[in-house]
Amino acid sequence: MTPDLRNQKKTIMRLRFREACEAHQEGNYEEAAQRISQIHQMVSAYMKVDSDLYWFGLRLTILWAEFLIQDDTRDFKAWAVGQACTALRAAA
């Protein structure tokens, strides 16, 4: 796979992830689940084809799962910033 094509596929996964975050924040949980499901389908398709795309998509789905199991916020961006701050404090 060419680097340009790989970047296009990553962009599609990022877009689906952003759409899932926005839908979840708006309370449209079914649409959010559908977007994450689309990413998961891509991950399955890339499993033996492109390990970079496979791991990129898998990281997105794991990140989504971690976000869903927390109870602090429905806003993904706020949660992600909190996670980053926690990691920085632990590293200091």
Side-chain angles (χ1 to χ4, degrees), residues 15-25 32 35-36 64:
L15 177 62
R16 295 294 175 265
F17 191 84
R18 188 174 334 123
E19 291 169 346
C21 291
E22 290 168 358
H24 187 271
Q25 188 171 356
R35 298 296 179 234
I36 295 302
W64 182 256

Side-chain angles (χ1 to χ4, degrees), residues 9 11-20 23 30-46 53 57-58 60-61 64:
K9 301 294 183 183
T11 298
I12 291 168
M13 284 192 266
R14 279 187 203 102
L15 177 62
R16 295 294 175 265
F17 191 84
R18 188 174 334 123
E19 291 169 346
E30 188 174 324
E31 182 181 340
Q34 184 179 24
R35 298 296 179 234
I36 295 302
S37 179
Q38 290 170 341
I39 294 171
H40 183 69
Q41 289 170 2
M42 291 180 216
V43 168
S44 297
Y46 299 136
L53 286 173
L58 190 59
L60 286 178
T61 57
W64 182 256

